[in-house]
Amino acid sequence: MNDHLSSLRLFVRVARRGSFSAGGRELNIPQPTVSRIIATLERKMGVVLFTRTTRAVTLTEAGADFLARIEPILDALDEAEYAVRGTGELRGVLRVGISSTFAIREIAPRLPSFMEKHPALRVELLADDLRQNFVNEGVDVGLRFGSLPDSTAVARRIATWPRVIVASPAYLKRSGVPQTAADLAAHSIIVGPSRLGPAWTFHKDGKTSSMRMEGRLTTTVNEVATAAAVAGLGLALMAKVGCRSEIENGSLVRVLPDWDMGTVELHAVFPDGRGVKPSARAFADFLVAESAHWSAARPRHHAARPSGNSQKSRVAVKAVTDRIL
């Protein structure tokens, strides 16, 4: 039984990594042994689970179906073992889908304390500014900014930041400092991956106005938008967390600080159709605790910081309404 479970766990790791050697390394199994175990599993199943080429290992249709069925079962076994042990020890691999900017600026510097607390846990940061496919990439928890897509997945709100308009001192010296939203029409605009569309919306003194912004430079990566603004290419609109360091060191300056540009929420999103891994839940708890160090503006209806299970909020993405975890 243990051998069969081990082969199933190995199958999942190979499927997720797309490589016999990479999957084997996660479980400390040499590549020749991995090939032998997978071949034995295929003979036992009576189907070919992987298509092998010299460049890659990919799932067959039968393999993909088997993965979708077996992975939730293995996750449930892991959670049962975790609950029975009662030690708080986390094991296995935690796969986190995350934007590259947030991974570099906020998560990687804070990971040591989380990983020191859970020495038997391995963490994979799938850093990509395009949203990952949870199922295809085996994401256990995704960190998503902004509005959430219509889905039956479950998310937990982690933090909220204001959107800010920023520019370099050199650019503002050269082009002038805008005093009103209307002044922005005369400026160069950097459009980043904020998914705001072509219009920027401004709020002040109970009034709302919207302007269509044409980007002289457009990028899909927030870090590029920040670097471009520092280089003096124009004004950029982004979540404050994406340029906080530059504002603090003076390489970027806030523009129209008295205007409200709205906020950006960060959610920890858990995949649909699978139980939440204990490690994913623990990572979300860790992020909530760390959010105090991000100087995040907490949502108005969350006046107090969460403490204890009864105060942990989560959001059903489809309705985007608060529930109790």
Side-chain angles (χ1 to χ4, degrees), residues 206-281:
K207 298 181 180 180
T208 299
S209 60
S210 183
M211 289 186 60
R212 184 178 179 86
M213 310 302 295
E214 295 292 341
R216 186 180 182 191
L217 173 68
T218 301
T219 176
T220 59
V221 179
N222 188 82
E223 200 71 12
V224 175
T226 303
V230 170
L233 290 180
L235 305 173
L237 172 64
M238 62 185 67
K240 187 176 181 181
V241 70
C243 59
R244 185 179 59 194
S245 296
E246 287 77 7
I247 292 175
E248 291 175 352
N249 65 29
S251 57
L252 287 178
V253 177
R254 285 193 63 177
V255 174
L256 300 179
D258 296 333
W259 292 72
D260 179 5
M261 300 297 298
T263 59
V264 176
E265 290 188 342
L266 172 68
H267 294 89
V269 183
F270 305 101
D272 180 23
R274 288 165 48 190
V276 179
K277 272 188 175 181
S279 56
R281 188 180 297 113

Side-chain angles (χ1 to χ4, degrees), residues 168-188:
S168 71
Y171 173 83
L172 295 175
K173 182 178 180 179
R174 183 174 68 249
S175 302
V177 180
Q179 301 299 316
T180 68
D183 292 342
L184 297 179
H187 285 266
S188 296

Side-chain angles (χ1 to χ4, degrees), residues 8 42 66 76 83 93 108 112 118 156 173 197-198 214 234 247 259 274 281 315:
L8 294 178
E42 289 177 320
F66 187 56
V93 178
H118 306 289
R156 181 176 178 187
K173 182 178 180 179
E214 295 292 341
I247 292 175
W259 292 72
R274 288 165 48 190
R281 188 180 297 113
V315 179

Side-chain angles (χ1 to χ4, degrees), residues 4-5 48 50 53 58 77 82 105 137 145 147 193 206 290-292 298 300 314 316:
H4 186 55
L5 278 176
V48 176
F50 293 103
T53 68
T58 57
L77 285 173
Y82 172 81
R105 289 174 173 257
E137 299 188 44
F145 287 89
S147 59
E290 286 293 312
S291 68
R298 303 301 297 174
R300 293 177 184 174
R314 76 178 184 182

